[in-house]
Amino acid sequence: MWHKKLFAPLALPIHVFAGAILVGAFLLHQPVSCRGGAVSFLDALFTATSAACVTGLTVVDTGARFSLFGQTVILALVQLGGLGVMTFSTLIFYLWRRRVSLADHIAVGQSLLHDTTFHLGRFLTRMVLVTAVIEAVGALGLYCLDPVGFAPYSAVFHSISAFCNAGFALPADNLASYVGSPGVNGVFMWLVVSGGLGFGVLIEGYRAVRSHLVRLVRRDARVFRLSWHSRIVFAVSAALILVGAGMIFFGEFLGDRYPALSVADKAMAALFQSVTCRTAGFNTLDIGRMADASLVIMVFLMFIGGSPGSCAGGIKTTTFAVLCAFGKSRMLGRRQAVIGRFAVDEGTIDRAVTLTVLAGGLVLGAVLLLCFTEGAVAPHVESGGRFLEILFEVVSAFGTVGLSTGITPTLTPAGKIVITLLMFVGRLGPILFLSVLQAFQEPLRYRWPEQSMMIG
């Protein structure tokens, strides 16, 4: 009986992602994938996990250490991880007009929309078409803006990496050389935001824009209205990006640490880092040289991450919105948590609180483990800012962001394993693992007596 629960529909994404990572690690470990000799299997496993989980943390230089074949393997893992391996396999069955099993249907629904009732074929077709168009337009834009820096292969690589919120970049300095390029910054931010909104929200946004354009030609045309969920996603995403950019600007650029940058360049850099904290992992500033205030702000943004059903990680924007509404309702003495026109049901509030508690526990546990493995148990005056660097690394891994202060290549083998597991859990989500574990639990047929407790 246990084996049926182990291979239940909810557990399928875990098995498929794990299988894809192992295959990718095997390929990246081969000499044909590397320059100057094969990398260790642990480094190959770390890179494969980072790619499949669209994180972007690297222990070796992607552009210098991996050959064209190795980079192509990484790119394939990024694309598979961004759209979901289950989505690809189910789409293949659909296009070949084969019968899609109920298990595949449920698994794709859980991983993309958290809704098992959607129309599978229509959704997947639209999703792949929209993804292909956005990535093609992004690659073309990068190539036109800088044909030398973004040659055809490089443009395609970075476009896919940006839309899938992976953060893998071929230059050793990531995108630091483009800190003053509005065009390149704009293309990357558009790709990152598009990939972090969620496929359902992205399609709704496209239909809404199209209906408004048609309305300009035909006054009697019907305007498509965004759903309640999409409105929340757009509003919260915009607020986090703008507020985050403002706080990073004041935390990073109040002094004269960047004399070569104009005010416009500083504003653009702050906006870019706020956007990429939504689990993209690109950077135009040296993260290791940023102020503590900026790093703390970025930790907060990375922990929240993107939106449900997207390429992004974190606890998600809707979870943050529910928590804010729940806190507001309790402070005002109201029974319901209201967002916009509707109140959030109790089941959603319970899942939001559970997810946040699990995520916080995972982060704190991983930070403690890395403090032991990475030498942060030394006296505080000797370790300096090691704790903040570790916290930043852990949240970046959990949120599948890929930003780092520079400690990733120096991680011990034990530290690499911790970060690898954290990226895997962060990509699939703690709630998914909790749901799988609950399948093995037997419901209690009794209740304990309740009693109030003094708190606060």
Side-chain angles (χ1 to χ4, degrees):
M1 231 11 225
W2 64 270
H3 65 279
K4 292 184 178 180
K5 294 181 179 180
L6 186 63
F7 292 97
L10 280 177
L12 288 181
I14 298 177
H15 303 314
V16 175
F17 263 90
I21 289 171
L22 290 177
V23 172
F26 173 78
L27 293 175
L28 292 176
H29 182 54
Q30 303 306 309
V32 68
S33 298
C34 309
R35 296 190 179 109
V39 299
S40 67
F41 184 77
L42 181 57
D43 288 348
L45 179 64
F46 188 100
T47 304
T49 305
S50 183
C53 298
V54 291
T55 304
L57 290 174
T58 56
V59 288
V60 295
D61 191 327
T62 304
R65 197 69 175 84
F66 289 104
S67 64
L68 181 61
F69 177 80
Q71 293 173 15
T72 304
V73 171
I74 293 174
L75 189 62
L77 289 172
V78 167
Q79 187 73 87
L80 287 170
L83 295 180
V85 179
M86 284 304 304
T87 308
F88 269 89
S89 61
T90 309
L91 179 60
I92 291 173
F93 288 131
Y94 172 76
L95 293 178
W96 279 90
R97 296 184 178 181
R98 296 180 179 178
R99 182 178 180 181
V100 180
S101 68
L102 178 61
D104 285 340
H105 191 284
I106 295 176
V108 176
Q110 287 289 340
S111 62
L112 288 179
L113 292 178
H114 303 283
D115 178 12
T116 59
T117 62
F118 73 104
H119 190 285
L120 178 61
R122 186 184 306 116
F123 176 82
L124 290 178
T125 303
R126 289 177 179 174
M127 183 192 66
V128 172
L129 287 175
V130 169
T131 299
V133 169
I134 291 177
E135 290 177 348
V137 172
L140 182 61
L142 291 176
Y143 175 74
C144 293
L145 289 167
D146 187 2
V148 177
F150 294 105
Y153 174 77
S154 178
V156 171
F157 184 98
H158 288 93
S159 180
I160 293 176
S161 181
F163 178 75
C164 293
N165 283 200
F168 277 91
L170 298 180
D173 64 348
N174 207 282
L175 300 177
S177 58
Y178 295 98
V179 64
S181 174
V184 173
N185 279 256
V187 171
F188 270 97
M189 286 189 287
W190 172 68
L191 288 168
V192 170
V193 171
S194 298
L197 288 175
F199 296 114
V201 175
L202 201 59
I203 292 173
E204 278 196 28
Y206 164 74
R207 293 178 64 184
V209 172
R210 184 182 64 179
S211 68
H212 279 84
L213 293 176
V214 172
R215 185 71 179 271
L216 296 177
V217 180
R218 294 172 46 201
R219 290 293 181 181
D220 59 337
R222 184 179 179 181
V223 175
F224 179 81
R225 302 292 181 182
L226 293 174
S227 65
W228 179 56
H229 170 80
S230 295
R231 289 175 182 270
I232 293 174
V233 168
F234 279 119
V236 175
S237 299
L240 288 174
I241 289 173
L242 295 177
V243 173
M247 296 179 73
I248 291 174
F249 181 86
F250 286 107
E252 193 66 20
F253 298 116
L254 284 181
D256 297 326
R257 297 176 55 236
Y258 299 89
L261 298 181
S262 65
V263 176
D265 289 341
K266 293 177 180 179
M268 184 169 58
L271 180 62
F272 186 88
Q273 292 308 148
S274 180
V275 168
T276 57
C277 282
R278 316 304 306 289
T279 81
F282 293 105
N283 60 280
T284 55
L285 298 176
D286 186 350
I287 304 298
R289 295 185 64 252
M290 295 184 72
D292 287 352
S294 302
L295 296 180
V296 171
I297 295 165
M298 293 169 71
V299 165
F300 174 74
L301 294 175
M302 291 190 300
F303 186 74
I304 296 174
S307 302
S310 70
C311 302
I315 64 172
K316 304 298 188 296
T317 54
T318 50
T319 302
F320 177 68
V322 169
L323 291 176
C324 290
F326 176 71
K328 179 182 177 181
S329 67
R330 291 302 182 265
M331 286 189 292
L332 297 178
R334 298 173 182 172
R335 293 182 57 86
Q336 291 184 306
V338 180
I339 303 177
R341 298 179 298 158
F342 299 98
V344 183
D345 65 281
E346 292 185 3
T348 301
I349 295 176
D350 289 342
R351 288 193 297 273
V353 173
T354 302
L355 173 59
T356 306
V357 171
L358 283 174
L362 283 172
V363 168
L364 291 177
V367 167
L368 182 59
L369 286 175
L370 287 185
C371 283
F372 284 107
T373 64
E374 307 309 311
V377 291
H380 176 70
V381 293
E382 298 178 10
S383 61
R386 193 66 171 174
F387 175 79
L388 182 56
E389 292 178 345
I390 290 176
L391 175 63
F392 192 93
E393 190 85 3
V394 165
V395 176
S396 178
F398 168 77
T400 67
V401 181
L403 294 173
S404 175
T405 57
I407 70 172
T408 312
T410 65
L411 291 173
T412 63
K416 292 178 183 178
I417 293 174
V418 171
I419 294 297
T420 299
L421 293 174
L422 200 59
M423 289 189 292
F424 186 71
V425 175
R427 176 63 185 94
L428 293 174
I431 283 291
L432 179 60
F433 285 88
L434 180 65
S435 301
V436 174
L437 291 176
Q438 286 178 343
F440 291 89
Q441 300 172 358
E442 296 293 335
L444 294 177
R445 301 183 181 276
Y446 58 89
R447 297 185 62 182
W448 292 90
E450 298 179 354
Q451 189 171 349
S452 62
M453 177 181 293
M454 183 180 297
I455 60 174

